[in-house]
């Protein structure tokens, strides 16, 4: 199955300062939505925690060293975003976002492939990420792109 047939092409460009404020708010909300249930936090605490953790990761905002914050564009229209840290020996995807009105069109795959190509261009041999266990859509996408589980955290309600 050809990934280009299923994925409309996107280009990546750095977020502008004007785009960064709304983006970081969405990043914290998305992180809170996954992290809150995983950590057993109520929504308000999860959102507060997410804002704190994102702020620690990006102390200099969009200009934080070793963090690539991109807007994904298709035919001149923003369709999502991608945040990759290059701090570790293996780059790490902190967030991939497909804007709500653009979901279901194959942009998640396109954004991932564009990010992989950018990392390859920078000489990286691997790209890693974390996904919460309840995010079955993302897990399916990552599986289809060839990502493999390297660690697994488990929990049982008592």
């Amino acid at each position: 199955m050809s990934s280009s047939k299923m994925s409309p092409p996107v280009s990546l460009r750095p977020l502008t300062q004007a785009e960064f404020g709304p983006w970081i708010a969405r990043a914290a909300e998305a992180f809170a939505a996954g992290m809150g249930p995983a950590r057993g936090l109520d929504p308000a605490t999860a959102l507060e925690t997410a804002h704190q953790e994102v702020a620690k990761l990006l102390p200099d905002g969009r200009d934080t060293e070793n963090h690539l914050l991109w807007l994904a564009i298709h035919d001149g229209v923003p369709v999502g975003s991608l945040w990759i840290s290059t701090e570790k020996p293996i780059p790490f995807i902190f967030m991939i976002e497909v804007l709500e009105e653009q979901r279901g069109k194959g942009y998640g795959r396109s954004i991932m492939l564009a990010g992989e190509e950018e990392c390859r261009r920078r000489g990286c041999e691997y790209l890693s990420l974390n996904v919460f266990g309840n995010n079955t859509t993302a897990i399916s996408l990552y599986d289809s792109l060839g990502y493999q589980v390297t660690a697994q955290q488990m929990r049982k309600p008592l």
Side-chain angles (χ1 to χ4, degrees):
M1 180 183 324
S2 168
S3 61
S4 61
K5 195 187 290 185
M6 297 183 59
S7 319
V10 298
S11 58
L12 300 174
R13 70 151 171 81
L15 290 171
T16 65
Q17 193 60 46
E19 292 162 342
F20 180 74
W23 174 85
I24 200 166
R26 291 192 316 271
E29 289 168 10
F31 183 41
M35 172 264 297
R39 294 185 187 173
L41 302 175
D42 65 83
T45 303
L47 187 57
E48 181 181 332
T49 302
H51 277 289
Q52 291 169 357
E53 291 188 24
V54 169
K56 279 183 202 169
L57 290 167
L58 297 172
D60 296 321
R62 72 183 186 102
D63 299 320
T64 301
E65 191 176 9
N66 299 317
H67 286 264
L68 308 172
L69 308 173
W70 289 308
L71 188 68
I73 300 167
H74 174 74
D75 285 343
V77 177
V79 296
S81 65
L82 183 63
W83 172 13
I84 298 179
S85 167
T86 59
E87 277 185 295
K88 299 177 182 178
I90 298 176
F92 185 85
I93 296 174
F94 274 105
M95 185 177 114
I96 174 176
E97 170 194 40
V98 177
L99 297 175
E100 195 168 337
E101 65 275 13
Q102 300 293 347
R103 292 184 184 154
K105 301 176 184 177
Y107 290 123
R109 174 176 298 279
S110 300
I111 293 167
M112 289 294 295
L113 292 171
E116 289 175 8
E117 185 55 38
E118 179 64 25
C119 289
R120 207 176 286 111
R121 189 183 70 71
R122 291 169 181 260
C124 301
E125 295 181 37
Y126 297 95
L127 183 57
S128 61
L129 55 84
N130 181 58
V131 61
F132 291 107
N134 64 351
N135 192 344
T136 55
T137 301
I139 292 168
S140 177
L141 171 62
Y142 304 145
D143 282 344
S144 75
L145 288 168
Y147 286 78
Q148 299 172 349
V149 174
T150 58
Q152 198 163 357
Q153 186 174 18
M154 302 175 86
R155 175 182 299 158
K156 176 184 176 182
L158 302 176

